[in-house]
């Protein structure tokens, strides 16, 4: 498997910047990266997804968020979903979404439009 991890709050940044083979060293780096994450501040879902989609080799995205974009280039859920659907035309990237804390129509729409699964974690 090849992976990258994108963390986001008021901004977004990727651990590796492109998909990397998941060897022992990279798994350790990813674990440490994720261990440092904390829910804080605003949510730039647009930039996080833009970073994930920029690698042409990405075929699956797991998006974990409260599903309430609050900063970034697009914060309106309908506009954001439409933009992601445009990015995905001809790509076939599957988005699996996990809503933290309650239902998210945005995350449900993103998963459904891409053939992914959606769940709510409480």
């Amino acid at each position: 498997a090849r992976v990258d991890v994108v963390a986001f709050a008021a901004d977004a940044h990727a651990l590796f910047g492109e998909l990397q083979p998941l060897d022992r060293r990279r798994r350790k780096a990813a674990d440490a990266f994720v261990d440092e994450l904390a829910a804080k501040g605003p949510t730039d879902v647009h930039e996080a997804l833009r970073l994930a989609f920029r690698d042409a080799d990405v075929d699956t995205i797991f998006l974990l968020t409260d599903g309430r974009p609050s900063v970034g280039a697009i914060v309106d859920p309908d506009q954001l979903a439409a933009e992601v659907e445009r990015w995905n035309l001809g790509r076939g990237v599957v988005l699996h979404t996990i809503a933290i804390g309650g239902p998210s129509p945005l995350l449900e729409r993103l998963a459904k439009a891409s053939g992914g699964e959606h769940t709510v974690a409480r």
Side-chain angles (χ1 to χ4, degrees), residues 49-101:
L49 287 171
R50 188 190 69 75
L51 284 176
F53 268 91
R54 79 177 176 184
D55 189 326
D57 291 333
V58 166
D59 62 8
T60 307
I61 295 170
F62 289 85
L63 178 62
L64 175 70
T65 180
D66 64 5
R68 295 181 200 98
S70 57
V71 296
I74 301 174
V75 296
D76 177 79
D78 289 330
Q79 290 177 0
L80 180 55
E83 179 78 355
V84 172
E85 289 165 11
R86 276 192 293 280
W87 293 340
N88 209 15
L89 282 175
R91 291 272 313 259
V93 174
V94 176
L95 278 90
H96 298 293
T97 59
I98 303 107
I100 302 295

Side-chain angles (χ1 to χ4, degrees), residues 8-75:
F8 61 101
D11 59 1
H13 58 283
L15 172 60
F16 303 121
E18 61 183 4
L19 294 178
Q20 297 290 315
L22 191 57
D23 58 20
R24 187 180 316 259
R25 180 179 59 83
R26 289 186 186 96
R27 180 182 300 272
K28 195 172 187 176
D31 286 345
F33 185 76
V34 170
D35 284 345
E36 294 296 317
L37 297 178
K40 61 182 182 231
T43 308
D44 192 346
V45 177
H46 177 269
E47 184 63 10
L49 287 171
R50 188 190 69 75
L51 284 176
F53 268 91
R54 79 177 176 184
D55 189 326
D57 291 333
V58 166
D59 62 8
T60 307
I61 295 170
F62 289 85
L63 178 62
L64 175 70
T65 180
D66 64 5
R68 295 181 200 98
S70 57
V71 296
I74 301 174
V75 296

